Amino acid sequence: MNTIFKKSTISLGATLLLLGSSTVMAERVTFDHKNNRVIHDHRVTKTAPPRRVQATRTRQTVTDHRRTRTSNTKRVPPKRINVQRQSKSASNLKFTISKSMKNKLRTLQWEMKAGSVGRPILSGNRYQLTNLLNGRGLKRQKRTIAANLGFGSSSKKSFNMLIKRQAGNGQVRYGDRVALNISPYGWLKYKNQSRGINISDDDHRPHYIWTVTGGTRGQKLVSGMPFALYNNTERAEVVYCKRTWGINLGWHGVSKCGGLAAKVSSKVFGENGLFARDGLSGKGFVKLKDFLCDKGVKAAAAYATAQSGGLAAPVALAAPRATKECKKL
C-alpha cells in the first residue's frame, strides 16, 4: 500500500482571518492494492502563527518658520536703543528764565518760527520773527512817516528775517549779540524818527545792536522759545506798543504807548493788563510766567526729541520736571 502526502491550505473562517492566521492541513492518501481502493486520511499537522503586520513608524518633521532662512532672506538685526544718548537728551531738557528778567517778564514777547517747533535757530538762516501778543511776523511796509515796518497776517508764514551772530556761525544762544536783516527792507539799525520807533534800514552792512535775552545765558535758542530783543543803543527791549503813527512797537520803559488805537488794548496794556507797562504782580505775573515756561519747555522738548533720534518717551517724562524748575522764578 502506497501512501502519498499532499499539502493544502484552508481558511478557518472570518475570525481567523481577522486574526491574520491560517492552518496548514496534510492530506494522507493510501492506495489499498488488495481491495483496489483509495483511503483518504485527513489530519491537522501545523497551525501557522498569526502573521504580524509591522507598523511603519513615520517620523514627523516640524518646521519652525521663525528659524527658517533661505539664501535670499536677509536677517535684519534688532534696532538698538542708545540708552546713553537717550538719557543724555532727557537730562539736558531745560528752559529757564533769567532772574534778571523777573521784573520785566512781558519783554519776552518774541519767537522765531521755522516751520515746526524745536528747530535750532542758526546764524545766517532766515526765519519769521513773530510777536507773541498779536501772533504776527514783522514785514516791510512802506510808510511816509516812521520806519518802513509793519506786521503781516497771522495766517501768513513768511521767513523773511535773517539772524546773524557777531560771534560767528553756529546756533544762536541766549546772550548773543546779533544783527537782523528783514527782506527786502535791509539790516535793521538804530535811527531817530520823527514818528514811531527809532529804527531804520541799511542795505550795506549788518548792525550788531541786538542781544537775545530772557533765558539763561548760553542756552541754545530753538524755534518756539520765547525771548526778548534788547537794543544796545537804546538800552531797552523792543516791545509791542500801540501807536498812532508807525508800527506798533516801542522801547520797554521808555516809549509812551498810547494814541487813539491804544485805548482798544486796555485789557492787555491797562493798569491790570497782562502786559501792563508798570510791571506785573500777583495773578498776572503767575499767569505770564506759566505761559512762558510751558512754551519754552515745549520747544526744548521738541528739540531734545529730535536730537535723540525721535525717542520721545524719556523726554516726555522729563518735561514736567523741567517746567516745574522753570516756574520757581
Side-chain angles (χ1 to χ4, degrees):
M1 184 172 57
N2 297 331
T3 302
I4 301 173
F5 287 93
K6 180 181 180 180
K7 291 184 178 181
S8 64
T9 303
I10 63 174
S11 175
L12 296 182
T15 305
L16 290 178
L17 286 174
L18 291 174
L19 294 175
S21 65
S22 62
T23 302
V24 178
M25 300 294 294
E27 180 185 358
R28 184 173 64 179
V29 181
T30 306
F31 184 77
D32 188 355
H33 293 277
K34 183 178 181 179
N35 297 319
N36 196 24
R37 63 175 183 169
V38 178
I39 300 173
H40 296 273
D41 185 10
H42 300 279
R43 58 190 177 90
V44 178
T45 60
K46 184 179 181 181
T47 301
R51 187 175 59 184
R52 294 182 180 181
V53 180
Q54 185 177 2
T56 303
R57 186 175 182 181
T58 305
R59 183 178 181 182
Q60 186 178 4
T61 304
V62 180
T63 303
D64 190 347
H65 294 284
R66 293 172 298 178
R67 297 181 180 180
T68 303
R69 292 181 59 188
T70 62
S71 59
N72 295 330
T73 304
K74 184 177 181 181
R75 186 176 180 181
V76 180
K79 184 177 180 181
R80 295 182 178 179
I81 299 175
N82 192 329
V83 180
Q84 184 178 4
R85 183 180 181 183
Q86 184 176 358
S87 59
K88 183 179 180 180
S89 299
S91 62
N92 289 341
L93 174 62
K94 65 178 180 179
F95 171 78
T96 54
I97 300 174
S98 175
K99 292 182 179 180
S100 62
M101 306 298 292
K102 186 174 182 179
N103 295 326
K104 46 184 179 180
L105 276 182
R106 68 185 187 92
T107 62
L108 277 77
Q109 53 181 257
W110 299 98
E111 69 171 327
M112 286 289 192
K113 288 188 175 182
S116 61
V117 176
R119 291 189 176 182
I121 303 302
L122 303 176
S123 178
N125 289 1
R126 291 192 179 273
Y127 306 94
Q128 184 181 51
L129 180 60
T130 304
N131 187 271
L132 296 178
L133 271 69
N134 60 9
R136 299 181 177 185
L138 283 179
K139 70 171 187 178
R140 182 184 187 277
Q141 181 175 328
K142 184 67 177 177
R143 299 179 184 274
T144 55
I145 300 178
N148 293 324
L149 291 174
F151 285 108
S153 172
S154 58
S155 60
K156 185 177 181 180
K157 298 186 184 303
S158 179
F159 304 113
N160 59 349
M161 182 66 73
L162 183 146
I163 185 168
K164 189 174 182 180
R165 299 174 69 223
Q166 189 176 33
N169 295 330
Q171 189 168 350
V172 178
R173 301 169 182 263
Y174 285 95
D176 280 351
R177 271 205 174 196
V178 298
L180 299 173
N181 180 291
I182 182 169
S183 177
Y185 189 52
W187 295 99
L188 299 184
K189 68 175 185 178
Y190 187 88
K191 181 182 178 180
N192 289 322
Q193 300 280 4
S194 58
R195 297 286 189 274
I197 191 169
N198 294 330
I199 293 178
S200 184
D201 67 305
D202 186 351
D203 291 332
H204 303 290
R205 61 184 181 88
H207 295 260
Y208 297 99
I209 60 174
W210 309 96
T211 302
V212 179
T213 63
T216 303
R217 187 178 184 87
Q219 184 176 355
K220 294 179 178 179
L221 183 68
V222 302
S223 58
M225 273 187 180
F227 62 91
L229 266 180
Y230 180 84
N231 185 278
N232 298 286
T233 304
E234 189 65 49
R235 296 183 180 180
E237 295 82 4
V238 59
V239 294
Y240 187 85
C241 177
K242 282 286 186 176
R243 291 180 177 272
T244 304
W245 301 97
I247 186 174
N248 290 327
L249 289 178
W251 307 112
H252 172 65
V254 178
S255 302
K256 294 182 179 180
C257 303
L260 298 175
K263 296 179 181 179
V264 183
S265 63
S266 60
K267 291 184 179 180
V268 178
F269 294 97
E271 183 178 354
N272 298 318
L274 183 60
F275 287 85
R277 186 173 179 275
D278 55 352
L280 291 169
S281 60
K283 293 181 179 180
F285 174 82
V286 175
K287 186 177 180 180
L288 178 57
K289 179 182 63 176
D290 290 351
F291 167 77
L292 294 174
C293 287
D294 291 340
K295 186 173 181 62
V297 171
K298 180 182 178 181
Y303 176 71
T305 300
Q307 294 297 306
S308 65
L311 300 173
V315 177
L317 293 174
R321 183 175 67 252
T323 304
K324 185 177 180 180
E325 288 297 320
C326 177
K327 293 180 179 181
K328 288 182 178 180
L329 180 67

